[in-house]
Amino acid sequence: MGKGWCLFFLFWPIAAVVSCAMAPWIGWSFPYDNAQAASNLGIRIDGLFYLILVITAIVFVGTQAAIVYALWRGANNREERADCVHGNHKLELVWSIIPGIILLFLAIYQMNIWADFRIKKYYPEVAVKDPIAEVTARQFEWRFRYPAIGKKLQQKPQPDDLHSVNELHVPFGKPVMIQLRSDDVQHSFFLPALRIKQDALPGLQIPVWFEANKPGTYDLVCAELCGWGHYKMKAHVIVQPEDEYQNYLKTLTEQQFYDGLGKIAATENDSESEATEK
Amino acid sequence: MFSKKTNELIPEAAKPVKEALVKQFGNPFALTQFEGLPTNFGDIEGTVKTVEPSGADQPLIRFQVTGLSDAYDKLQGLPLEWTSGKGQGHFSRIKEYNFETGMIAVEKSEEIDPQPGDTFLVECVRLQFGRDLYNRHCMHCHGMSGEGTGPTSRYLNPPPRDFRLGIYKYTSTKSTSKAQEADLERTVKEGIAGTYMPSFKLLTEDEVSAIVNYVIWLSIRGETEKKLDDELFLDYSQEVYDERTSEEGGETREEVLEELKEFMELDFPDTLEFATESVSEAWEEANEEAALVIPKTPRVPDTLESRERGRILYLSQKTKCASCHGPQGRGNGTATQDFWTNPATNEKYKNRGLHDIWGNQLPPRDLHRGIYRGGRRPIDTYRRLAAGIKGTPMPAFGGSLSDEELWDLVNYVMSLPYDGNR
């Protein structure tokens, strides 16, 4: 059986390396477009992930190789007796200090990205100056409040604010910031494609910025188990060119101040114009 | 499946009601097409291509069909009407259906003998599509037959709507009309802020309309059941039956059943027909333009003067808004402290305050919250005031107030969340 165990321990590192290498092609990797993040910050965050993956892979393969070598040698050579070792000061130092250095390196190396992602002082100025909307997570939907066209977002709701639900439009080509709130319990604002995740806490208003590197529709999901309807909490973030975005805001304004007269195709029931079908 | 009231009838009276409902509506697992309903059942035509030979001991007969490749892919349980060949005019139930191979299995019977080239209609395809979506997204709160008691409902406040009365709160129609399809679609898409009804904006238009189609069908079924129950309840509920056959009542069981039998033979069919007809008509009429609440004048400009006029109206005896919503619109008017009488039973409610027709305690809205359940457009608020909120004590002011007055009220009410004294 000795050689069987050799094979067993040899199998796992190979399986791990092969499956990680194949992951992008068989859909086991990150979501969206060949596992490529849809934002520049996301690409940097992915870089961190891959760095950690490579380091752990090297360590894993190395330790497994050592195990296999030891087992193989023991299984092949019955004459050789094992040494009984009572600790080794040098070894202890080596395998404490090297991982320590690696951890320290990771901690320092990621600081820039973390600051760009999380520390308001380092947010893009354009985004901070003019938050685009207030996002309120509630059981179990996302509600959005935009400022009126040409105005700035205020802390308190204003009469001319624009409201929508489960559909956030943002302009393409500049970083945008949203103010994140929660109405009830903890939720989490998660844009998997952009690698953005931030918990929403009741009573706090948390600024989150993101910038997609191409226009499109991205999923916004909740990443905090917030109750029975957690799985329902899905919305779309629609990144579109500036002019389309302005058009959307105009339509939203028209819809929201609709007083039942005149025709707005998008808001009113088809039946209003074609009701008398008979 | 069946309402509480149906189950309170004596078994002999409940049986025909249940049978009639199953005959006309089927059940959620085996839908049935019922002519004359304003429901889009969505029939599709198909043709038999080949028939598999089957042994005499096999209960099912299998045949491959063409023409269903663009249709919805889950047709199990639906009725299949033969339109040519030996079985013309007869119905089968689809027992198995494989979309990939186009194989349908139905039960063997004397009347049918599918041959290549025979044509048939599969009925209720659209309804089934709506039903499957409903079961996935809505059923766990609103329940299997729309009774609002799904497994999740016990944790929700306000409780999910019971569709079986056919009454929906947030509509664009007059106070006596049902909801328009577009109203229900808007509710599904936008959700109801301040309640547990989430927004289903990520469903496609087609999916939303299929769900609404199914929900209205559930409503029609529930209303039909209610009408039949009302017809029988006064004479044949278990309670009345016990009274009639007691010492004082002096009737025997046979006499009561004889009378019931006579009623069933003579009046019941008409009752049934009238019940579904009137319900269907009401739903059809709601979708006509005449049912809509359309203001005669555009919104009065939202000025301080207009708001002030609105405030005076709000506090006046003419509207009595303050008696429920409170003098400052906090939803704490004096009406919330009174004990009210339930119009359905003529008994006092157990709790203080207002109730809706579903029997739930219902606090009047706090107008400062800035949460608008039926939509936050001025026209939405206008419609709440003009047509009231169906099923609740919120009355309709469309008749008693002029358009300008209504708009003044709208301006006042919509300014409350921003008046700074939060």
Side-chain angles (χ1 to χ4, degrees):
Chain A
M1 190 56 216
K3 290 199 175 140
W5 284 116
C6 286
L7 286 176
F8 178 81
F9 284 107
L10 186 64
F11 169 76
W12 292 111
I14 294 172
V17 170
V18 169
S19 61
C20 285
M22 279 169 38
W25 287 277
I26 50 176
W28 286 4
S29 186
F30 290 133
Y32 303 95
D33 280 4
N34 298 328
Q36 171 85 295
S39 68
N40 297 342
L41 180 72
I43 291 170
R44 291 165 66 199
I45 291 172
D46 287 359
L48 280 180
F49 177 88
Y50 290 127
L51 175 70
I52 293 171
L53 185 69
V54 168
I55 293 171
T56 48
I58 291 168
V59 173
F60 182 54
V61 170
T63 50
Q64 293 300 103
I67 287 181
V68 171
Y69 170 72
L71 284 171
W72 186 81
R73 202 168 122 178
N76 248 1
N77 187 349
R78 293 283 175 190
E79 300 307 303
E80 192 180 0
R81 307 311 302 160
D83 287 341
C84 189
V85 181
H86 289 280
N88 181 326
H89 206 64
K90 259 190 215 151
L91 259 183
E92 292 279 359
L93 280 175
V94 168
W95 71 43
S96 302
I97 288 173
I98 291 180
I101 290 172
I102 292 175
L103 284 178
L104 203 60
F105 160 73
L106 283 176
I108 295 167
Y109 179 77
Q110 58 82 45
M111 271 187 176
N112 269 335
I113 301 180
W114 182 251
D116 287 347
F117 181 31
R118 268 291 168 275
I119 296 176
K120 201 173 170 184
K121 205 166 69 179
Y122 296 98
Y123 283 10
E125 214 169 302
V126 188
V128 179
K129 206 168 65 212
D130 196 5
I132 197 152
E134 180 186 78
V135 176
T136 306
R138 64 179 290 261
Q139 292 174 316
F140 296 98
E141 61 195 4
W142 300 93
R143 293 203 164 258
F144 307 113
R145 177 169 73 89
Y146 307 88
I149 297 176
K151 291 196 180 174
K152 282 205 184 317
L153 186 70
Q154 304 296 319
Q155 283 289 67
K156 280 187 176 173
Q158 300 300 310
D160 53 3
D161 279 340
L162 304 173
H163 296 260
S164 78
V165 59
N166 281 2
E167 200 176 276
L168 177 68
H169 289 242
V170 300
F172 171 65
K174 62 177 189 195
V176 294
M177 190 172 96
I178 54 125
Q179 298 284 15
L180 183 63
R181 290 164 164 265
S182 163
D183 249 4
D184 34 45
V185 296
Q186 265 194 46
H187 297 280
S188 181
F189 180 89
F190 182 29
L191 288 166
L194 278 65
R195 317 288 190 255
I196 296 283
K197 192 190 274 183
Q198 169 61 54
D199 275 22
L201 289 136
L204 284 189
Q205 177 176 292
I206 302 169
V208 181
W209 79 274
F210 56 90
E211 180 182 9
N213 56 18
K214 49 181 176 293
T217 300
Y218 300 102
D219 284 341
L220 160 63
V221 291
C222 178
E224 194 73 68
L225 188 49
C226 54
W228 59 262
H230 169 60
Y231 68 98
K232 280 185 199 272
M233 246 180 111
K234 199 174 162 190
H236 278 160
V237 172
I238 298 170
V239 180
Q240 53 195 168
E242 182 72 34
D243 56 334
E244 278 180 38
Y245 169 70
Q246 291 300 341
N247 276 342
Y248 169 75
L249 289 187
K250 280 198 191 78
T251 323
L252 200 60
T253 313
E254 275 178 4
Q255 287 181 12
Q256 200 171 295
F257 295 98
Y258 182 55
D259 63 358
L261 294 159
K263 287 274 178 278
I264 299 180
T267 50
E268 276 309 82
N269 327 349
D270 293 342
S271 54
E272 308 230 346
S273 46
E274 307 159 12
T276 41
E277 53 198 32
K278 292 183 186 66
Chain B
M1 282 298 296
F2 297 104
S3 69
K4 194 164 138 256
K5 216 164 173 182
T6 308
N7 290 322
E8 281 172 6
L9 294 170
I10 53 171
E12 291 81 359
K15 196 165 157 260
V17 171
K18 290 179 181 179
E19 278 172 1
L21 283 172
V22 168
K23 184 169 167 292
Q24 295 197 325
F25 296 92
N27 65 44
F29 304 104
L31 303 170
T32 298
Q33 177 148 336
F34 176 39
E35 301 293 334
L37 296 189
T39 299
N40 176 359
F41 286 102
D43 300 351
I44 44 170
E45 289 179 12
T47 313
V48 179
K49 196 164 138 197
T50 55
V51 183
E52 276 196 7
S54 63
D57 54 341
Q58 297 224 339
L60 297 181
I61 184 160
R62 287 189 170 72
F63 46 90
Q64 206 178 6
V65 298
T66 53
L68 305 187
S69 51
D70 302 337
Y72 183 51
D73 57 0
K74 296 186 182 65
L75 305 179
Q76 224 150 326
L78 290 182
L80 180 149
E81 185 185 2
W82 295 97
T83 49
S84 72
K86 182 186 170 190
Q88 190 166 355
H90 285 285
F91 283 90
S92 309
R93 279 262 173 210
I94 297 178
K95 292 286 173 196
E96 294 168 12
Y97 174 60
N98 184 332
F99 180 71
E100 303 298 325
T101 57
M103 226 14 133
I104 287 184
V106 300
E107 261 181 22
K108 273 188 192 163
S109 76
E110 292 294 308
E111 291 91 15
I112 61 161
D113 178 24
Q115 293 299 335
D118 282 4
T119 55
F120 57 83
L121 275 182
V122 180
E123 295 181 338
C124 305
V125 176
R126 175 104 182 135
L127 197 64
Q128 176 115 319
F129 176 52
R131 180 205 72 178
D132 289 349
L133 285 164
Y134 176 91
N135 285 358
R136 185 179 319 155
H137 296 294
C138 327
M139 201 243 312
H140 63 87
C141 298
H142 288 287
M144 197 75 189
S145 37
E147 72 281 17
T149 56
T152 312
S153 64
R154 66 177 65 182
Y155 308 110
L156 308 185
N157 182 14
R161 179 65 51 243
D162 174 354
F163 299 142
R164 292 173 312 172
L165 296 182
I167 291 174
Y168 295 86
K169 281 184 175 181
Y170 305 111
T171 69
S172 55
T173 54
K174 298 197 163 73
S175 54
T176 49
S177 301
K178 300 254 173 234
Q180 290 210 332
E181 277 167 35
D183 295 331
L184 300 185
E185 281 170 19
R186 189 177 309 125
T187 302
V188 171
K189 277 190 289 214
E190 301 293 324
I192 303 179
T195 75
Y196 268 109
M197 173 79 188
S199 149
F200 289 92
K201 217 175 223 167
L202 268 55
L203 296 176
T204 63
E205 291 285 332
D206 184 51
E207 287 171 330
V208 171
S209 80
I211 289 176
V212 167
N213 186 38
Y214 183 71
V215 165
I216 292 178
W217 181 82
L218 286 177
S219 276
I220 294 172
R221 181 187 171 277
E223 286 173 89
T224 305
E225 179 176 21
K226 186 172 179 296
K227 280 190 153 64
L228 296 180
D229 288 345
D230 291 349
E231 197 68 33
L232 291 162
F233 208 77
L234 285 179
D235 299 331
Y236 304 108
S237 72
Q238 196 63 49
E239 205 178 325
V240 172
Y241 170 84
D242 290 345
E243 228 169 83
R244 285 172 66 174
T245 53
S246 67
E247 296 282 315
E248 294 89 51
E251 293 182 72
T252 62
R253 177 178 166 76
E254 286 70 30
E255 279 171 5
V256 175
L257 290 186
E258 184 60 36
E259 191 187 313
L260 174 67
K261 194 170 151 229
E262 206 170 287
F263 172 83
M264 282 295 161
E265 280 167 8
L266 296 175
D267 298 349
F268 190 70
D270 293 351
T271 308
L272 183 64
E273 199 173 316
F274 177 73
T276 35
E277 247 175 47
S278 57
V279 173
S280 305
E281 244 166 59
W283 277 104
E284 273 169 26
E285 277 167 14
N287 281 309
E288 288 168 14
E289 196 160 7
L292 276 176
V293 175
I294 300 177
K296 296 181 199 62
T297 57
R299 182 180 183 181
V300 174
D302 186 11
T303 58
L304 287 176
E305 290 76 28
S306 163
R307 290 180 193 178
E308 182 60 19
R309 287 196 300 273
R311 191 178 70 89
I312 289 164
L313 259 177
Y314 178 94
L315 294 168
S316 70
Q317 279 302 305
K318 193 171 167 186
T319 60
K320 293 202 176 79
C321 301
S323 66
C324 297
H325 289 282
Q328 294 176 322
R330 298 262 172 212
N332 56 356
T334 51
T336 59
Q337 298 306 310
D338 298 342
F339 285 95
W340 293 83
T341 306
N342 183 345
T345 58
N346 280 328
E347 288 167 19
K348 289 258 189 229
Y349 287 110
K350 279 202 284 292
N351 300 318
R352 284 175 197 270
L354 299 153
H355 290 68
D356 61 22
I357 53 161
W358 294 276
N360 307 313
Q361 218 180 344
L362 188 76
R365 191 64 50 236
D366 175 347
L367 303 171
H368 290 260
R369 298 283 309 279
I371 293 174
Y372 298 97
R373 293 189 177 182
R376 58 185 319 130
R377 304 173 305 173
I379 182 66
D380 292 319
T381 312
Y382 176 95
R383 281 171 176 157
R384 278 338 129 241
L385 293 167
I389 298 178
K390 289 152 199 169
T392 76
M394 172 78 191
F397 292 104
S400 53
L401 297 181
S402 72
D403 253 35
E404 285 78 10
E405 286 176 318
L406 283 170
W407 280 124
D408 288 339
L409 263 178
V410 169
N411 289 340
Y412 172 63
V413 166
M414 290 188 76
S415 72
L416 282 176
Y418 311 103
D419 64 359
N421 57 10
R422 285 161 163 257

